[in-house]
Amino acid sequence: MDTIFRPYHPSSGQRSDRSAGDRQRHRQKVREAIRNNIADIIAEESIIGKDKNRVIKVPIRGVKEYRFVYGENAPGVGQGGDGDLQPGQTIGQGKKGAQGQQAGDQAGVDYYETEVSLDELIEVMFEDLELPDLERKHLREIVTVDHLRQKGFRKKGIRVRLDKKRTARARVRRKKSAHRSGAANLHGERFPFHEDDLRYHHVVKEMRRESNAVVMAIMDTSGSMDTMKKYLARSFFFLLYQFLRTRYQNVEIVFIAHHTEAREVTEEEFFHKGESGGTFISSGYNKALEVINERYHPALWNVYAFHCSDGDNFESDNTAALNSARELAKISNLFGYGEIKPLGAGYYGSSMIQYFSQIQEPNFLTVQIQRKEDIWSAFKTFLAKDRANIKNEVNYE
Amino acid sequence: MSREWTTEDLQEWNQRIVELVQKFGLDPYSQEFEVCDYEQMLSYMVYSGMPSHYPHWSYGKGFEKLKTLYDYGLSGLPYEMVINSNPSIAYLMRDNSLALQVLTIAHVYAHNDFFKNNFTFRTTQTEYTIETFKAHANRVRHYIEDPSIGLEKVERVLDAAHALSLQCRRNLSIKKETEKEQKERKIDESRPRHDPHHAIHRRVEHVEPDLTKVPPYPEEDILLFVRDHNPHLAEWEKDLLTIVHEQAQYFIPQMETKIMNEGWASFWHKRILESLELPQNLHMEFIVRHTQVLCPTPGGLNPYHVGMKIWEDIEERWDKGRFGPEYDLCTASERSDWNIKTMQGRNKIFVVREVERDTSFLRRFLTEDLVRELKLFEYQTRGNDKVISRVADEENWRSIKDTLIQNVGTGTIPVIKVEDADYNSERTLYLKHAHDGRDLQLEYAEKTLQYLRQLWGHEVVLNTTVNGKETLLCVSENQLVFKPVQ
């Protein structure tokens, strides 16, 4: 019997990272799983309104490894700790022995949480939508300085951009040629740098076309909008904002709350501050138009307007609302109206959806949201409309 | 953490351990130790200790899970990882203290001895372990890189094969009959037995054996059966099934002897370290570590603890002669003082480590006293909780023992055999679950059957019992139908 000791070798790349490929593949599977459960995940309250760099935990049910295993009626045997045990006593889920067990012979242990950053999650979400890159009208693109890039070398420049390596090389070259021509003796004599040796990086400004988008989040904050309705609205705006953020460099969001009159508010106020009173939908639209004209000229901005309301509008305002809506639809890339009617709200008040059906603009649409599961589908419908519009635009050109 | 030891230290201690190993009569393969860091260790654990292993996403998942467990401190650092090969290879974590290394080295030799001598491991061909796994890895990589096959397709087959890999024969020391031999057996069995009183007995009617049936006898190696009887599989697909099957079979003995093996290693590391005359500081740490490893996990079952207790008990009983009819028949008070100094303990445990597996080990040597001492109880699962159904008292200790025997080794894998490859003459694969009171988890059964259907290429039917009713689970194209059996 012999024994050999192999001392420690710091991982040669191949060895340490032997599981890297499999980990990455697993990661892909997890993403697929997230994609399949996206509707559920989106509906989780905890995600909405989180900071974009926050890492969130998402429960994954996807990547199970199935085998034939016994179900619940199979008894097991455990060891008691201190103290007496009584039949009927309940013991919390014991830790699963992690002593290098063979592949799981227990069902259900595959439910685990994985950490993804919100950005990653959103990326997955939008991969799911298979959206084309939104090519926008040229008019709405602004040329901006994106970053500086090195490009070539110059003999003149500022000191900080001096390229020492190239400078040294130029000197050597000059020295060699001087030697060949016999102008200088290589041995012994000093051969200093000359101004001609200096080389500087040349830097150019990269210009790129940048696109801007503004989201007009218009919400009804009248007395009839309860917490649940607001929560649904909020989820929707969150998605919209996140989506646009992936497509445009600059996304701004304008919060407009309205009851009988409209105000531009902060995000905090928008979602939390309760108001009361009746509803003039037109007031919200007019405020939006006003803001757009003041600050977000449609020539420079892609405007996405969305309005959430429970549809309880004062009858007298309906015509005005219709007109403003038409006008808003004209200057927006997309204008959507989401009517929030939670199931079990008891009564079905008046609905604006029917009334808005008179609007013929191709970039206007209405969706109905009844439960939180609807948000994702509503959102998809909304963007599908956007896509259709883009196709039309392309056709015109 | 600065290291307090050098490879020379390890070698020195190893020398002393080896002397003891030989003195105690352990008989291990040659041993190789490799010092590795934490990440390398995790990788080895995920790939079953193999220096080379084929890729599959499930190992990536295993890695993440393991890393999470360790990072959050839910599980202690891995002390040891040893593989069954000749020479045996073991890994030592660089960051572990000297005391822990010494303990691990001793522990590893006992595992190594167990691998070499226990009968269940005889089929594992330890000379070729490393090369076999490497060859498997090369073949799978080759298929992945083959442009006409590719990762997706390979993964699809591997996913399915992994789901079914443990549905294979458990007792590998029984020779597997070929189909031809099975048919011959069938013919033999159908022949009327020789009857010396045939003159007065009615003649037994001769029944022609049905030799057209495939398989002749129920078949447990599902992957191999599919490989050999689905003509539509490509060669590379068949090869993948073979690879997965062979690897699963390699690990079956380890599953079958978990408690014995861990118990054996703990028993010996304790013995060895106690005889090593460790300096004070190392000895203190050894005691702490030993207690950690051997600590019973309340609610769970620590194989190190259970196994070691049984081994110690066997040694003590055979040393004191507490076995045989005389001992069994005496009164309780006589028993407690019984010591006829037979001193066969050492000898007995070496025989037991050779000829038993967990099920038989527990059946023979888990006594009533041990069931009590180990505080074993039986539980039923309700949702996320375990509800105690039986505690170790006079009435129940036997049922607890029986339940435990059902749950060790390959007992947690349902026995499912292929009965007919041409059920209803439609090339439907008919399987039967040998129901022993435990129902299958249906979601898992359905998904697993779907994998089998994918490999088989036709409908698959499983005969099982659900809530006391015999039921057929029929899986066809993405659809599961339950049919009660009349």
Side-chain angles (χ1 to χ4, degrees), chain B residues 446 459-460 462 471-476 479-483:
Chain B
E446 182 199 338
E459 198 175 324
V460 171
L462 173 68
T471 310
L472 295 182
L473 307 183
C474 311
V475 173
S476 50
Q479 196 191 341
L480 174 77
V481 186
F482 288 77
K483 283 186 198 152

Side-chain angles (χ1 to χ4, degrees), chain A residues 59-281:
Chain A
I60 299 295
R61 270 152 299 192
V63 266
K64 278 185 189 169
E65 292 159 82
Y66 293 98
R67 292 178 179 277
F68 286 119
V69 292
Y70 287 118
E72 283 230 328
N73 76 344
V77 171
Q79 277 178 284
D82 300 328
D84 280 342
L85 298 166
Q86 295 299 327
Q89 193 177 327
T90 305
I91 295 177
Q93 181 81 303
K95 274 187 282 176
K96 289 270 171 341
Q99 280 126 355
Q101 292 272 27
Q102 271 299 298
D105 47 13
Q106 302 282 328
V109 294
D110 278 343
Y111 185 98
Y112 59 98
E113 288 189 331
T114 186
E115 285 186 351
V116 288
S117 71
L118 194 54
D119 262 356
E120 202 177 342
L121 182 69
I122 282 155
E123 199 181 308
V124 173
M125 274 161 43
F126 297 126
E127 263 172 34
D128 175 46
L129 286 173
E130 291 173 10
L131 288 161
D133 278 335
L134 302 183
E135 285 296 331
R136 305 279 71 193
K137 293 177 192 164
H138 296 306
L139 265 181
R140 294 188 180 177
E141 285 174 346
I142 313 157
V143 179
T144 52
V145 176
D146 189 43
H147 62 292
L148 301 173
R149 195 168 70 83
Q150 286 188 7
K151 192 181 183 186
F153 302 90
R154 294 289 185 276
K155 287 196 173 181
K156 295 275 184 291
I158 54 174
R159 206 44 182 262
V160 286
R161 293 195 187 137
L162 180 72
D163 186 325
K164 293 183 186 122
K165 196 171 155 192
R166 270 171 204 276
T167 305
R169 239 197 266 166
R171 174 182 158 271
V172 171
R173 199 174 287 143
R174 192 166 54 82
K175 188 176 169 186
K176 290 276 184 198
S177 69
H179 178 61
R180 264 197 300 274
S181 64
N185 178 13
L186 263 192
H187 305 288
E189 215 173 307
R190 238 184 109 250
F191 195 87
F193 280 95
H194 188 266
E195 206 179 330
D196 287 348
D197 295 337
L198 302 183
R199 295 289 182 276
Y200 297 90
H201 294 293
H202 183 56
V203 171
V204 292
K205 286 174 185 160
E206 271 297 83
M207 306 301 268
R208 51 166 286 159
R209 293 171 185 284
E210 187 181 290
S211 41
N212 303 309
V214 59
V215 182
M216 293 281 149
I218 309 165
M219 186 161 70
D220 181 353
T221 50
S222 64
S224 58
M225 286 291 281
D226 56 25
T227 324
M228 183 62 190
K229 290 178 184 174
K230 271 190 203 164
Y231 164 65
L232 290 172
R234 181 175 194 202
S235 307
F236 192 90
F237 286 127
F238 170 77
L239 277 182
L240 191 65
Y241 174 64
Q242 292 297 352
F243 169 71
L244 293 170
R245 213 167 54 77
T246 64
R247 301 288 142 171
Y248 296 97
Q249 273 209 325
N250 280 334
V251 179
E252 290 198 13
I253 185 159
V254 175
F255 298 99
I256 294 169
H258 76 86
H259 36 101
T260 49
E261 55 193 63
R263 282 190 313 128
E264 196 183 333
V265 294
T266 64
E267 183 180 358
E268 181 66 19
E269 286 174 317
F270 186 70
F271 291 115
H272 297 293
K273 212 162 167 187
E275 304 259 358
S276 57
T279 315
F280 283 158
I281 287 179

Side-chain angles (χ1 to χ4, degrees), chain A residues 1-12 15-20 22-29 57 63-83 85-96 98-103 105-110 112 115, chain B residues 11 14 18 28-35 37 40 44 47 50-51 55-58 60-61 63-65 94 109 151-152 155 162-163 165-167 258 296 298-302 305 374-379 381 383-388 391 400 404 407 411-412 414 416 437-441 443-444 447-448:
Chain A
M1 194 196 87
D2 302 313
T3 308
I4 299 174
F5 275 90
R6 275 192 238 114
Y8 172 69
H9 281 284
S11 322
S12 54
R15 256 202 149 149
S16 71
D17 246 15
R18 63 188 298 211
S19 66
D22 287 342
R23 293 212 306 270
Q24 195 194 348
R25 187 72 190 131
H26 171 239
R27 195 106 193 119
Q28 283 174 8
K29 292 251 167 198
K57 288 198 173 184
V63 266
K64 278 185 189 169
E65 292 159 82
Y66 293 98
R67 292 178 179 277
F68 286 119
V69 292
Y70 287 118
E72 283 230 328
N73 76 344
V77 171
Q79 277 178 284
D82 300 328
L85 298 166
Q86 295 299 327
Q89 193 177 327
T90 305
I91 295 177
Q93 181 81 303
K95 274 187 282 176
K96 289 270 171 341
Q99 280 126 355
Q101 292 272 27
Q102 271 299 298
D105 47 13
Q106 302 282 328
V109 294
D110 278 343
Y112 59 98
E115 285 186 351
Chain B
Q11 270 161 341
N14 174 66
V18 168
Y29 294 121
S30 290
Q31 181 69 53
E32 292 178 11
F33 289 101
E34 188 175 320
V35 180
D37 62 30
Q40 288 170 337
Y44 279 126
Y47 294 101
M50 295 302 160
H56 185 257
W57 60 265
S58 57
K61 173 180 157 186
F63 187 94
E64 305 275 7
K65 259 182 150 175
R94 188 177 54 134
Y109 277 116
L151 177 65
E152 300 268 323
E155 206 169 67
H162 282 183
S165 63
L166 293 179
Q167 302 310 133
K258 181 89 183 156
L301 195 80
N302 182 349
H305 181 235
L374 293 167
K375 291 190 178 166
L376 298 184
F377 61 85
E378 187 195 280
Y379 61 82
T381 316
N384 276 335
D385 291 328
K386 291 170 172 177
V387 180
I388 297 178
V391 293
I400 294 174
L404 178 60
N407 278 301
T412 46
I416 291 169
R438 295 179 284 180
D439 283 4
L440 295 180
Q441 210 279 6
E443 188 205 342
Y444 273 62
K447 293 279 168 33
T448 313

